């Protein structure tokens, strides 16, 4: 009986060692995949930030500060890459770099509430801001009004489409 128990324990030990080896390999692959994903996300973020730097006078705009402000936005608003892409769009649409990250944060909250992406939210908000001569700081208020419209049965994409069609006429009709 002792020989049988010893052989059984040895067999169990061998199986356990083999399973542990397999688990180690899988865990290693998971860790490597996680690191690769993080490295890619960081590289994408840096690429988008480099794109932003092409829009601004980097002797006057502190890109390190913009980067830190973007990184401080809540991750619930979107990936840093998505938010940086939206920052590019906001600055392209004449939002001052000093106000752009806060503006993107407002647009991201609007996007989340309206179930769309941040870039579309930036497009809709900048279209309205530019057409009516509003300040970027009005983004939150505009978002609230638009969200009420969305609650009445329209999507952000539909509202944006209508504003892009009609807003070129807005400037000429202001007093």
């Amino acid at each position: 009986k002792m020989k049988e128990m010893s052989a059984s324990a040895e067999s169990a030990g061998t199986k356990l060692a083999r399973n542990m080896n397999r688990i180690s390999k899988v865990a290693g692959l998971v860790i490597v995949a996680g690191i690769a994903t993080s490295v890619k996300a960081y590289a994408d973020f840096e690429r988008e930030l480099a794109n932003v730097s092409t829009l601004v006078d980097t002797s006057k705009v502190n890109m390190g500060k913009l980067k830190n402000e973007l990184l401080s936005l809540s991750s619930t608003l979107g990936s840093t890459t998505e938010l940086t892409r939206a920052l590019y769009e906001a600055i392209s649409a004449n939002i001052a770099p000093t106000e752009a990250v806060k503006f993107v944060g407002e647009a991201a909250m609007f996007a989340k509430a309206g179930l769309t992406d941040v870039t579309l939210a930036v497009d809709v908000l900048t279209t309205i801001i530019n057409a009516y001569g509003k300040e970027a700081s009005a983004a939150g208020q505009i978002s609230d009004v638009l969200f009420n419209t969305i609650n009445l049965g329209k999507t952000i994409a539909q509202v944006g489409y209508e504003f892009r069609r009609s807003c070129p006429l807005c400037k000429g009709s202001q007093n």
Side-chain angles (χ1 to χ4, degrees), residues 11 45 48 101:
S11 175
F45 168 64
E48 293 298 330
V101 174

mmCIF file of all heavy atoms in Angstrom, residues 11 45 48 101:
data_model
loop_
_atom_site.group_PDB
_atom_site.id
_atom_site.type_symbol
_atom_site.label_atom_id
_atom_site.label_comp_id
_atom_site.label_asym_id
_atom_site.label_seq_id
_atom_site.Cartn_x
_atom_site.Cartn_y
_atom_site.Cartn_z
ATOM 1 N N SER A 11 2.920 10.696 -8.966
ATOM 2 C CA SER A 11 2.160 10.981 -10.181
ATOM 3 C C SER A 11 1.403 12.304 -10.043
ATOM 4 O O SER A 11 1.381 13.118 -10.966
ATOM 5 C CB SER A 11 1.184 9.839 -10.464
ATOM 6 O OG SER A 11 0.375 10.148 -11.568
ATOM 7 N N PHE A 45 -1.050 57.665 -28.007
ATOM 8 C CA PHE A 45 -1.250 58.937 -27.312
ATOM 9 C C PHE A 45 -0.170 59.932 -27.705
ATOM 10 O O PHE A 45 -0.462 61.089 -28.042
ATOM 11 C CB PHE A 45 -1.270 58.692 -25.796
ATOM 12 C CG PHE A 45 -1.194 59.936 -24.966
ATOM 13 C CD1 PHE A 45 -2.204 60.884 -25.015
ATOM 14 C CD2 PHE A 45 -0.133 60.150 -24.112
ATOM 15 C CE1 PHE A 45 -2.144 62.038 -24.229
ATOM 16 C CE2 PHE A 45 -0.064 61.288 -23.323
ATOM 17 C CZ PHE A 45 -1.068 62.238 -23.389
ATOM 18 N N GLU A 48 -0.726 61.215 -31.254
ATOM 19 C CA GLU A 48 -1.813 62.201 -31.312
ATOM 20 C C GLU A 48 -1.368 63.530 -30.709
ATOM 21 O O GLU A 48 -1.721 64.597 -31.208
ATOM 22 C CB GLU A 48 -3.062 61.682 -30.609
ATOM 23 C CG GLU A 48 -3.718 60.502 -31.291
ATOM 24 C CD GLU A 48 -4.212 60.794 -32.700
ATOM 25 O OE1 GLU A 48 -4.577 61.956 -32.996
ATOM 26 O OE2 GLU A 48 -4.236 59.862 -33.518
ATOM 27 N N VAL A 101 -8.362 71.743 -23.293
ATOM 28 C CA VAL A 101 -8.496 70.500 -22.525
ATOM 29 C C VAL A 101 -9.779 70.525 -21.702
ATOM 30 O O VAL A 101 -10.517 69.535 -21.670
ATOM 31 C CB VAL A 101 -7.260 70.241 -21.637
ATOM 32 C CG1 VAL A 101 -7.486 69.032 -20.735
ATOM 33 C CG2 VAL A 101 -6.023 70.027 -22.498
#
